[in-house]
Each structure stands twice: as C-alpha cells, then as structure tokens.
Amino acid sequence: MNILSLLATVIALFLLFILAPIFHHRINLYFASKRHNCSSPSIRPSRDPIFGLDILLSNVRNITLNRRIKEQYASFRKYGATYAFYSFGKRTIATTDARIVQFLLATEMDKFGAGPPRKGSVPMIGRGVINSDGAFWRRGRDMIMPVFARGKLRTGRCLGNMWRG
C-alpha cells in the first residue's frame, strides 16, 4: 500500500508543477485585462483546453499536407482577425491586424522574443527581424523603424496591453 501512496504523491506533485504555472498565468491575464480595461481576443476552442494538443497535432498534420496557410486563413475567418489558443499551457496570439503588429514592433518588442520555436523555423527567408532576438534583432529593427514609428500609431483602442505574457 505504501507504493501506491508514494506513486499517487509523485503523480500529484508532477501535475501540480505542470498545472500551477498554467493557472497562475491565466489568472494574471485576467487581472491584467481588468487593470487595463482591455478585452481578451476570442479563444480558439480546443478539446484539450490546458495543453492544446489537438491544435498542435492539427497544425503538424496541416504542415505535412501543405495545408497550413489555408487552415490559418480558415481560422481567421472563423475566430476573427485576432484570436488566442493554448499550446502546452502557453497562450499564443494569432493576428492579421496590422495595427497590433505595428504597436508591438514600435513599443513592446523588448518584452517578446522569437524564442526557440521561431528561430530557424523558416530557412527560406534567412535570419531577420521576425526570427531573431538581441543585438541582431535590434539592428534590423533600427533599419526599418521609420515604418513603425510611434507617431504613426492610431490611438483610441487598447492594443497590446492584453498580450503581454
């Protein structure tokens, strides 16, 4: 009986260490939304709302069948120009709204990074602003900065505040 209780304890601790950060992140997003008076983007539903494995598997399948762009287009038509989904407990924002991209590149880019998933993910375009971090990214950003100047941003909408983190 001791082995079963030990196994149950190990499983419970394992789940606690995986699920606690996920729920903590989601609670922080909720309070950030209230604090900045922003609404969250629509959520792409998933059969697995914590890890989003069905969305991940669908994306992998669509990539292998060369249908990824077509499926992304269908998702934007269904869920709107900006929507969120969860992958491995992390919220991912997908957008076609140029103002959001402009806002992030002009004001908030230091809080984001290309990260391991995007680095080297598109070998045909090489290294650039989209898939780099650090000094290389900053040099590229400085070259195209006039396009994303703060003075050209439209105001009046809450763009970007909700998507930190």
Side-chain angles (χ1 to χ4, degrees), residues 91-163:
R91 185 168 78 155
T92 300
I93 304 291
T95 188
T96 58
D97 190 334
R99 292 174 299 159
I100 292 174
V101 175
Q102 182 185 27
F103 178 86
L104 291 173
L105 289 174
T107 64
E108 302 283 325
M109 195 61 185
D110 290 337
K111 295 179 181 168
F112 297 89
R118 202 175 323 145
K119 288 182 181 175
S121 63
V122 190
M124 67 186 129
I125 64 170
R127 195 167 172 211
V129 175
I130 300 297
N131 57 5
S132 296
D133 285 329
F136 190 88
W137 169 81
R138 181 150 316 278
R139 191 169 63 245
R141 179 181 179 263
D142 290 344
M143 287 176 16
I144 62 170
M145 191 56 193
V147 175
F148 302 109
R150 270 188 162 189
K152 295 180 182 178
L153 287 174
R154 290 187 210 171
T155 58
R157 284 188 63 198
C158 183
L159 298 175
N161 288 335
M162 196 50 222
W163 297 293

Side-chain angles (χ1 to χ4, degrees), residues 34-108:
K34 296 296 181 193
R35 186 172 50 251
H36 295 290
N37 196 26
C38 295
S39 61
S40 292
S42 62
I43 303 291
R44 179 179 172 180
S46 175
R47 284 185 228 125
D48 176 9
I50 295 173
F51 297 109
L53 293 177
D54 58 322
I55 293 175
L56 176 69
L57 293 174
S58 172
N59 288 341
V60 169
R61 183 177 58 250
N62 289 326
I63 288 169
T64 59
L65 296 173
N66 294 320
R67 297 190 316 212
R68 179 70 177 126
I69 293 174
K70 186 176 185 178
E71 292 300 319
Q72 278 184 316
Y73 179 74
S75 293
F76 284 118
R77 289 189 58 179
K78 186 173 184 176
Y79 304 114
T82 301
Y83 66 90
F85 62 93
Y86 288 89
S87 180
F88 291 111
K90 302 266 185 192
R91 185 168 78 155
T92 300
I93 304 291
T95 188
T96 58
D97 190 334
R99 292 174 299 159
I100 292 174
V101 175
Q102 182 185 27
F103 178 86
L104 291 173
L105 289 174
T107 64
E108 302 283 325

